[in-house]
Amino acid sequence: IYFLSNKFNLSEMIKYKAIGSMDQIYLNNKDIPIEYIETIASICILLATEFNDCCSNSKINKANSQNRYAINNNSNVNIKKEDINNLKSLYQYIKNETKNLMYWQTYCLKDLDYNLGKYSAYDYLNLFFDLGIVFTDKKTNFLNISESCFNLLELIITKSNICKYNQYLIAMSLIYIQF
């Protein structure tokens, strides 16, 4: 997931959603051979980009017609033409590298109960800091706390013990640690 995220310049949100999906798949199926880990990681990245409207046809068409940016009327998200090319390249890469792409997509979707809208710890942190969190100390520096929380998340996300906890609890724990 890190390799594909870096290679195709994907957002942090996509990376964390893919990690969360992959963790859930492996936690639900302890009998999946480890040799399929790269395939499942690729599918999780693909599902995260598709579900989060990163490369919908309407955005791609608008990007082509507007030359540099695509703006979806239902969203405030701007997508650069370079990003759309990266997403097309990502899909081609995964398509070329994955045997039985449709089988693996279906397998992962079924294992996730077709629920791709689950929040990751990254989503919760963004939500809490964007909406504002009630702190009792008026001297609280939200920028430092936010940055520290995201840095800690980056450190712990690769640890296997993190799979024991739900994403909400992880986000709240990261905030709690900062106090």
Side-chain angles (χ1 to χ4, degrees), residues 17-106:
K17 285 206 179 276
I19 290 170
S21 295
M22 191 168 116
D23 286 349
Q24 186 178 347
I25 290 169
Y26 271 93
L27 286 173
N28 291 340
N29 294 301
K30 301 203 185 309
D31 57 337
I32 300 174
I34 197 71
E35 65 201 44
Y36 296 118
I37 195 165
E38 287 183 21
T39 300
I40 291 174
S42 298
I43 297 301
C44 288
I45 286 274
L46 187 61
L47 293 174
T49 56
E50 289 173 346
F51 181 77
N52 291 286
D53 203 22
C54 294
C55 52
S56 70
N57 286 336
S58 64
K59 287 186 181 181
I60 291 171
N61 291 337
K62 285 183 184 181
N64 290 335
S65 66
Q66 294 177 355
N67 200 12
R68 181 156 170 83
Y69 290 99
I71 302 172
N72 185 335
N73 292 335
N74 300 328
S75 167
N76 293 329
V77 177
N78 290 334
I79 296 184
K80 297 176 186 174
K81 192 173 183 179
E82 300 86 38
D83 293 340
I84 292 172
N85 289 336
N86 281 347
L87 294 171
K88 287 180 181 178
S89 298
L90 169 69
Y91 180 75
Q92 281 302 326
Y93 177 84
I94 292 172
K95 186 177 172 184
N96 292 337
E97 294 293 316
T98 306
K99 295 177 184 172
N100 301 322
L101 180 65
M102 293 299 268
Y103 167 80
W104 285 109
Q105 280 182 311
T106 305

Side-chain angles (χ1 to χ4, degrees), residues 57-174:
N57 286 336
S58 64
K59 287 186 181 181
I60 291 171
N61 291 337
K62 285 183 184 181
N64 290 335
S65 66
Q66 294 177 355
N67 200 12
R68 181 156 170 83
Y69 290 99
I71 302 172
N72 185 335
N73 292 335
N74 300 328
S75 167
N76 293 329
V77 177
N78 290 334
I79 296 184
K80 297 176 186 174
K81 192 173 183 179
E82 300 86 38
D83 293 340
I84 292 172
N85 289 336
N86 281 347
L87 294 171
K88 287 180 181 178
S89 298
L90 169 69
Y91 180 75
Q92 281 302 326
Y93 177 84
I94 292 172
K95 186 177 172 184
N96 292 337
E97 294 293 316
T98 306
K99 295 177 184 172
N100 301 322
L101 180 65
M102 293 299 268
Y103 167 80
W104 285 109
Q105 280 182 311
T106 305
Y107 179 87
C108 290
L109 282 169
K110 282 182 180 177
D111 214 55
L112 295 168
D113 283 336
Y114 299 93
N115 184 0
L116 298 177
K118 289 186 177 180
Y119 271 32
S120 67
Y122 182 84
D123 294 324
Y124 281 119
L125 288 174
N126 274 321
L127 179 71
F128 296 147
F129 286 108
D130 286 348
L131 293 177
I133 304 174
V134 178
F135 292 101
T136 57
D137 184 6
K138 294 184 184 211
K139 297 177 185 176
T140 302
N141 185 336
F142 293 107
L143 291 176
N144 286 343
I145 293 171
S146 173
E147 187 177 328
S148 296
C149 287
F150 286 108
N151 289 338
L152 277 172
L153 179 61
E154 186 68 32
L155 289 173
I156 66 170
I157 198 70
T158 59
K159 307 297 182 205
S160 62
N161 289 343
I162 201 168
C163 296
K164 296 177 184 176
Y165 307 101
N166 71 43
Q167 298 294 306
Y168 178 80
L169 185 61
I170 293 167
M172 293 305 289
S173 297
L174 291 172

